[in-house]
Amino acid sequence: MISGRSQVLGVFGDPVSHSLSPPMHAEFARSTGMDTVYVPFRVQPHHLETALGALPALSILGVNLTVPHKESALQLLPEVAPAAQQIGAINTVTNRAGDLVGENTDAEGFLADLRAQFPEQGWEGKPTLILGAGGAARAVIYALRQAGVPRLVVANRTWEKARSLVEALCPDTGEAIPMEGAGLESAISQAGLIVNTTSLGLKAEALPGIDLTRVHAGTAIYDLIYNPFETPFLRQAKDLGLPRANGLGMLVRQGAASYARWTGRQPMVAPTLERLRDQLKDPG
Ligand code: ATR
């Protein structure tokens, strides 16, 4: 229910019609008892600057940014937090009494979810294998550095992209390898945590060359994809009885972090997770 006192939040993207964020933020409003509404705004790239500039005029508390705006907003906002600067993407814009601040809550959402999902697996003290070297991998690497993981191995089909990511984000602890061969096999067998950040699985594709039968019994498996709810990669982990999680928890925790930035209130994560899980498992 929108009232005269409702405060407006939203997301700028193009497209935005498939976003899970509106039902997620409706749940956050319910759990905090706040009168906020979260609106999907379709903003085309050439309108991003005007749309951001309108936030103070419209007293909108804040917005998320999604494809294709996360990187281009870096040039448009007067203040960008160091994490967003390093990750190279902004997913959260907050209107602080007329001043716009760009932040990135993906890394903290990911880290909070890892800690919640795998509290006793000891992954923090072992090497992590990251599959993929795109935008999502940047937030994951940033988070794992924050966690103090001793070694980060980044495997990517296009090896050069993995190498430049390692140079930019973890030159001291990182190593770039191709997505095949002996290096990949040894990284799989040594990892305490394996994270899929590639888009493979979105259309139910398997990850070629990833054989989880080689891992230690306690190796944690994380896939950033949450729709489909169980990718072939996660199915492989399930069949082997490995601890595993999809990216829904990261989605909800980055959203909760954004909501807290905008409203000063920390929403409860569990009921929102449950509701979105039901929705994804039974979309009808
Ligand atoms: P995002 O921002 O979601 O990370 P992205 O930047 O387009 O998306 O990155 C997609 C990732 O999935 C990349 O690591 C990409 O590998 P390349 O850098 O070699 O392109 C990976 N990826 C996509 N399709 C792939 C495929 N068919 N096989 C292997 N890796 C693939």
Side-chain angles (χ1 to χ4, degrees):
M1 280 284 283
I2 300 179
S3 79
R5 276 187 295 276
S6 296
Q7 291 184 295
V8 180
L9 312 168
V11 54
F12 289 175
D14 186 18
V16 278
S17 53
H18 288 84
S19 174
L20 272 183
S21 293
M24 176 166 83
H25 281 273
E27 200 58 50
F28 292 160
R30 228 186 320 270
S31 80
T32 53
M34 293 201 69
D35 188 358
T36 54
V37 292
Y38 186 97
V39 185
F41 292 101
R42 180 180 172 229
V43 175
Q44 293 176 271
H46 65 282
H47 283 144
L48 180 62
E49 187 166 10
T50 314
L52 286 170
L55 295 175
L58 296 170
S59 299
I60 291 175
L61 288 187
V63 289
N64 287 127
L65 301 181
T66 185
V67 178
H69 303 314
K70 292 174 89 162
E71 290 86 16
S72 48
L74 285 168
Q75 322 305 326
L76 299 176
L77 291 169
E79 191 182 337
V80 176
Q85 206 72 263
Q86 272 227 20
I87 293 167
I90 291 170
N91 78 331
T92 303
V93 180
T94 304
N95 172 12
R96 289 193 195 144
D99 294 325
L100 299 183
V101 182
E103 291 176 88
N104 190 309
T105 62
D106 287 333
E108 68 189 79
F110 173 66
L111 191 52
D113 200 47
L114 272 187
R115 289 181 169 146
Q117 304 280 358
F118 310 127
E120 281 154 20
Q121 272 72 25
W123 52 270
E124 293 98 328
K126 297 181 191 145
T128 292
L129 171 61
I130 295 148
L131 306 172
R138 294 185 73 96
V140 163
I141 292 172
Y142 184 87
L144 292 166
R145 278 205 58 152
Q146 296 288 109
V149 166
R151 192 154 157 261
L152 295 167
V153 182
V154 183
N156 198 44
R157 174 179 61 178
T158 313
W159 175 77
E160 290 77 11
K161 273 171 73 178
R163 189 193 53 183
S164 54
L165 210 63
V166 164
E167 268 171 22
L169 287 171
C170 52
D172 42 350
T173 52
E175 184 192 349
I177 63 169
M179 190 78 109
E180 59 189 359
L184 181 64
E185 283 177 20
S186 114
I188 290 174
S189 63
Q190 289 170 28
L193 169 69
I194 303 177
V195 185
N196 176 38
T197 75
T198 76
S199 45
L200 288 173
L202 281 173
K203 294 184 182 137
E205 318 94 309
L207 281 163
I210 306 297
D211 178 4
L212 294 180
T213 56
R214 298 170 183 281
V215 305
H216 293 295
T219 298
I221 307 296
Y222 199 102
D223 198 328
L224 261 56
I225 296 171
Y226 53 81
N227 193 12
F229 203 74
E230 187 178 74
T231 58
F233 178 56
L234 284 183
R235 171 65 64 88
Q236 208 188 133
K238 182 183 182 179
D239 291 346
L240 292 165
L242 299 170
R244 64 201 173 273
N246 72 13
L248 190 64
M250 174 182 176
L251 175 83
V252 172
R253 291 174 201 281
Q254 64 76 32
S258 298
Y259 195 85
R261 299 288 205 287
W262 299 326
T263 65
R265 298 286 299 277
Q266 191 69 49
M268 285 198 299
V269 166
T272 310
L273 252 177
E274 204 170 309
R275 200 182 173 102
L276 294 185
R277 192 180 293 133
D278 290 347
Q279 194 172 324
L280 283 169
K281 280 186 160 172
D282 184 12

